[in-house]
Amino acid sequence: MVRAERKYVDLMRQSTSGLFANWDPENPIKVGSYGRFDLDTSRFTVLGNIYDPEFQVLLDAVHGNFKMSDYPPELDPVEQDMIVTSTGARKHIFDPGSNAKKENFKKASFKMNFKFLSGKRSAVLIMHKPRLHHIPRNKVLDVLYRIPEFNGLFIVPSVYKCRAWSIYLSSKRMFFLFQSVNGAHVHNQVEEIVSIALLPSKVGFDLEWWCSSDSDFLRQGTDKDSFASPLFSGKQKLPLIRRYMRGMPVPDPEPGDKFWIDGCPGWEPVDEDGYDDPIWEEVIFDFFLVSEILTCYSRRIMSRMSRECGDASCVNLPRSGE
């Protein structure tokens, strides 16, 4: 069984900077949400929202005059269609194949082919007419930083909403093209090819997707109100701010958003089917084994030096785990 959601989210995470993918865009992640990622499913679990009325209690504890209602989310202008491809996926000129009527695609709002390397999974995300929905920049996050309840949590300062979206996770099967050459049967390995187009709906004024594949890992949708959110950002508090002198309080963050950084979700690398990669577990084991050996060796060297110099004040290295 393939854990498609986990594999897709992991691939998109590797292909974007500070952004996370939503496997179910019709169940939107709202701007201002905060929570944590489920390391088993890679899904973002929402614990609350900074625009909820009950959140004001936490704000009052650090800044009595700051009201989130004075800083509602902002919506940027519509951008060009956004295409995010993971490693192993490539864009190509649209060609629906000989069985499709090409005149049906003349009014397409979007059309493109994608090729995927055989033997591994790759992913594609298409957003039609995306708009960035975000909290006001350099006005809110510096205040939110002072709230201790955010330690260890993620906050969602921005979300991409769009008019229509398409998600595709490729298979890892090997594809072959069989041909007859001079009476001999020849088979050549070929890449997986998928054609995707966004067409006017046959009923009403809506849009509808067309795809040459009927894969179980194809997910598509349209939304007249642009509520769907296929992509969102996740930020965490900068974990360390040094005091200038011992005994001084931690300084307040300077105006701006720079005390929030792109968060690391914490899940381990996954294999082609979305499960924990056993190779990674072996690497971690080897790392700790080598670390233990080096620590033990260093302890022996320091002990020998201590005996030779007769200096009892030599620093003893702590044992592993201390």
Side-chain angles (χ1 to χ4, degrees):
M1 181 178 178
V2 180
R3 304 182 69 179
E5 177 179 5
R6 199 168 189 240
K7 182 60 178 177
Y8 168 74
V9 172
D10 187 64
L11 286 172
M12 288 290 104
R13 175 60 179 164
Q14 298 175 34
S15 306
T16 59
S17 177
L19 297 175
F20 296 90
N22 183 8
W23 179 248
D24 186 13
E26 292 182 347
N27 184 18
I29 305 295
K30 297 181 179 179
V31 174
S33 297
Y34 57 87
R36 57 174 57 94
F37 285 91
D38 187 318
L39 301 186
D40 184 55
T41 65
S42 73
R43 196 172 302 157
F44 185 66
T45 302
V46 177
L47 301 178
N49 194 293
I50 62 175
Y51 290 102
D52 291 340
E54 53 269 23
F55 181 77
Q56 188 61 44
V57 177
L58 299 179
L59 272 176
D60 291 341
V62 297
H63 197 303
N65 298 324
F66 195 89
K67 307 294 182 183
M68 287 305 306
S69 57
D70 296 333
Y71 302 91
E74 300 175 352
L75 189 61
D76 287 355
V78 175
E79 302 179 20
Q80 293 183 343
D81 290 352
M82 182 182 297
I83 305 172
V84 182
T85 57
S86 70
T87 302
R90 291 170 296 164
K91 297 179 288 186
H92 284 266
I93 297 175
F94 180 73
D95 183 2
S98 57
N99 295 328
K101 297 181 180 180
K102 295 187 177 181
E103 59 269 18
N104 293 341
F105 302 98
K106 291 182 179 179
K107 296 182 180 180
S109 302
F110 173 91
K111 53 184 179 180
M112 188 168 290
N113 274 25
F114 297 92
K115 289 187 177 182
F116 303 90
L117 293 178
S118 300
K120 64 176 298 182
R121 295 191 190 277
S122 304
V124 168
L125 167 63
I126 304 167
M127 292 188 289
H128 177 60
K129 293 186 176 181
R131 302 183 71 177
L132 188 64
H133 198 209
H134 59 89
I135 62 177
R137 298 182 179 95
N138 298 322
K139 296 179 180 179
V140 176
L141 287 181
D142 56 328
V143 176
L144 298 183
Y145 187 89
R146 306 170 191 174
I147 299 178
E149 284 78 5
F150 277 141
N151 294 342
L153 298 182
F154 284 79
I155 188 172
V156 179
S158 62
V159 170
Y160 272 105
K161 297 178 175 292
C162 61
R163 176 67 176 83
W165 53 272
S166 180
I167 292 171
Y168 188 80
L169 179 67
S170 72
S171 68
K172 58 178 182 179
R173 293 179 298 172
M174 309 292 285
F175 292 84
F176 295 93
L177 177 64
F178 293 89
Q179 295 177 316
S180 179
V181 180
N182 297 327
H185 295 288
V186 179
H187 63 277
N188 298 316
Q189 183 177 334
V190 297
E191 297 174 312
E192 180 180 357
I193 302 176
V194 175
S195 304
I196 300 177
L198 183 60
L199 309 173
S201 176
K202 298 176 182 178
V203 180
F205 299 96
D206 200 2
L207 301 170
E208 63 180 12
W209 288 99
W210 175 90
C211 184
S212 60
S213 173
D214 58 356
S215 169
D216 292 336
F217 306 138
L218 171 68
R219 302 172 68 86
Q220 297 175 320
T222 61
D223 187 350
K224 293 180 180 180
D225 299 319
S226 298
F227 283 135
S229 58
L231 211 58
F232 62 95
S233 64
K235 299 285 187 180
Q236 283 183 306
K237 294 171 67 172
L238 191 65
L240 178 63
I241 300 180
R242 296 186 180 276
R243 296 174 172 85
Y244 296 117
M245 296 180 63
R246 181 179 300 178
M248 290 184 64
V250 176
D252 287 337
E254 298 175 13
D257 300 344
K258 64 182 181 180
F259 278 85
W260 292 82
I261 58 176
D262 295 337
C264 178
W267 60 70
E268 296 181 358
V270 300
D271 62 14
E272 297 302 323
D273 291 331
Y275 294 89
D276 290 344
D277 195 336
I279 297 179
W280 175 255
E281 294 178 356
E282 293 177 5
V283 170
I284 293 295
F285 175 79
D286 292 343
F287 172 80
F288 283 108
L289 180 61
V290 171
S291 176
E292 182 70 22
I293 293 174
L294 291 177
T295 301
C296 182
Y297 181 75
S298 299
R299 189 182 297 116
R300 290 182 180 180
I301 294 296
M302 293 295 293
S303 178
R304 182 183 303 173
M305 292 176 60
S306 177
R307 289 195 302 269
E308 291 177 354
C309 69
D311 185 2
S313 64
C314 289
V315 178
N316 293 322
L317 291 178
R319 295 182 178 276
S320 177
E322 294 183 351

